Amino acid sequence: MLRDVFKPLCAAALLACGLTGRAAQAADYPNQPVKLVTAFGAGSASDIVARLIAERLQAALGQPVIVENRPGASGQVATDLVARAQPDGYTIMLATNTTHSSNPHLYKSLRYNPVKDFTPLVQVCNFPFVLAVSAKLPISSVDDLLRYGKANPGSLNYAYGNSTGQISAASFDKLTGLGATAVPYKSTPQAMTDIIGGRATFMFVDLASAAAHIQAGTLKALAVSTEKRSTLAPNLPSVSEALGQPGFDLAAWVGIFGPAKLPAPIAQRLGDELYKIVSAPDFKQKLTQMGAEPTPAQASAFGPFVVQQEKVWGDKVRQAGIQAE
C-alpha cells in the first residue's frame, strides 16, 4: 500500500529532477565545442556555407564550432547521425532539400523522419542550379546539347551528386527525350570532375560549386534551373526559356536543424544567433558572391516551410518519373 502511495511521488520527483537537469544544462550552454554536420563533401556548396556560418557562430557562442563532412547515400549518413544525436545543442546540421524534401520520395525507407526527428533553427539560402557540360564537348547551348544527343543516340549520360541534381537532370531528360543514363556520385565535386573530364555528358549543378570551373573555362553553363533567369547569372537563359516550355523550376534550399527535443532555451539561443548571422548584410553579400540567394528566416517560418517543401519535392520526383530505391 505504501509503495503504491509513493509511486506517483517518486515519478514526480524524477520528472522534477529531469527538468531541473535540463534547465541547468540549458543555462550552462555552451560549455564545449559544437559540431556542425554537413551531408556533402568538402568543396560542395553546402560545405562552403557551413564554414562561413561556423566561423561566425564560433565568435557568437564563445566555443569552437567544428564542421564535420559526412557525405554518402544522398545525405542520409549525416542526417541519420544528427537525428540520433543527443539533443543538447552540441550537434547541429546544415541540411538541404535533398535530405529533408527529396529523400523521403527517392527512397522506400529512411531511418529518419525529416520533420519529427529534427528541431528547425534557421533557413539560410537557396541555390539556383545550372545545366553544365564539359568545355571539351562541341556544345554551347541547350539546342547544341539536343542536337548532340540526336547525333549520338544511346551514348549520353548525366551525373549527379545530390537529389536536386538528380531530379533536375531526370526531369530535363524526360522533357527532351534525350534518353540519357543516370550516373550517381557520392558528392557534387566528384560528379563535376567527370563532367569536366568528358566522362559524363551533362549535369545540373549548383552555381556556387560550379562558378570557379565556369570562370576557368573548364565547364560550360548552358541554362539555369529556375523558371526565370537568375539575377546571379543574368546572361544564362532558363531551361524553360531555352526549350520554349514553361514549368521547369528547380532550386535547392538550405537550413540548419538540431535533433528533435532540443531544449527550448538552447533552441532559442542557437536560432537567435544563427538568424543574426544569416540576416547580416555582409553575410548575405558573401552568399550572393558565391552564387547563392539569401533567404534568412527564423524557426517559426522555417518549420512550416520544411513541411510544405516535402510535398513540393514529392510532386517533382513523381513528375520526373523517378522510381524510389
Side-chain angles (χ1 to χ4, degrees):
M1 292 290 291
L2 286 174
R3 189 182 304 164
D4 292 340
V5 170
F6 282 117
K7 275 183 181 178
L9 295 175
C10 289
L14 287 170
L15 178 61
C17 287
L19 292 173
T20 303
R22 283 197 290 273
Q25 181 187 46
D28 195 34
Y29 178 84
N31 59 17
Q32 64 188 60
V34 174
K35 183 165 58 178
L36 176 57
V37 179
T38 177
F40 302 101
S44 64
S46 56
D47 172 70
I48 296 168
V49 173
R51 293 180 191 280
L52 285 174
I53 291 173
E55 181 182 1
R56 297 182 180 216
L57 186 59
Q58 178 168 302
L61 296 179
Q63 289 288 342
V65 177
I66 301 161
V67 175
E68 183 175 302
N69 300 92
R70 287 295 189 103
S74 202
Q76 292 183 67
V77 173
T79 315
D80 184 55
L81 172 73
V82 176
R84 296 172 184 276
Q86 286 295 320
D88 53 14
Y90 293 106
T91 301
I92 58 177
M93 177 184 188
L94 188 131
T96 71
N97 58 290
T98 289
T99 58
H100 281 67
S101 302
S102 305
N103 279 353
H105 306 282
L106 293 172
Y107 297 93
K108 292 178 181 177
S109 64
L110 292 176
R111 295 183 65 189
Y112 64 87
N113 183 295
V115 174
K116 294 179 181 178
D117 290 342
F118 297 90
T119 301
L121 297 173
V122 73
Q123 187 176 352
V124 181
C125 62
N126 286 343
F127 284 120
F129 274 52
V130 293
L131 169 59
V133 298
S134 170
K136 295 179 179 180
L137 295 176
I139 297 170
S140 297
S141 67
V142 173
D143 282 343
D144 285 349
L145 176 57
L146 299 183
R147 282 192 289 268
Y148 183 82
K150 289 179 181 178
N152 299 274
S155 65
L156 272 63
N157 53 39
Y158 61 84
Y160 64 88
N162 56 45
S163 70
T164 307
Q166 177 187 9
I167 295 166
S168 299
S171 298
F172 179 79
D173 187 62
K174 184 177 181 181
L175 194 61
T176 58
L178 278 174
T181 302
V183 183
Y185 288 79
K186 192 174 183 180
S187 186
T188 294
Q190 295 173 333
M192 274 198 300
T193 297
D194 273 10
I195 289 289
I196 291 167
R199 291 178 290 277
T201 314
F202 69 91
M203 74 180 294
F204 278 81
V205 57
D206 58 274
L207 187 57
S209 296
H213 299 288
I214 294 169
Q215 291 167 5
T218 56
L219 201 64
K220 285 191 284 190
L222 308 181
V224 293
S225 64
T226 46
E227 186 159 15
K228 296 180 180 179
R229 292 193 180 206
S230 171
T231 56
L232 300 175
N235 294 329
L236 288 179
S238 68
V239 169
S240 288
E241 181 184 347
L243 294 177
Q245 298 184 50
F248 195 100
D249 188 16
L250 292 149
W253 61 258
V254 175
I256 297 180
F257 298 85
K261 300 180 181 178
L262 198 60
I266 293 177
Q268 187 71 46
R269 173 78 192 280
L270 281 169
D272 288 347
E273 298 293 359
L274 287 165
Y275 183 70
K276 288 177 191 174
I277 290 168
V278 302
S279 59
D282 62 328
F283 183 83
K284 292 195 287 186
Q285 184 180 21
K286 282 185 178 291
L287 288 179
T288 301
Q289 288 171 346
M290 67 172 281
E293 297 173 339
T295 58
Q298 294 176 307
S300 57
F302 182 40
F305 171 82
V306 173
V307 173
Q308 180 255 357
Q309 283 293 296
E310 186 184 345
K311 296 175 183 175
V312 168
W313 282 87
D315 289 340
K316 290 176 178 178
V317 169
R318 286 186 286 276
Q319 289 165 8
I322 300 172
Q323 298 298 314
E325 296 181 10

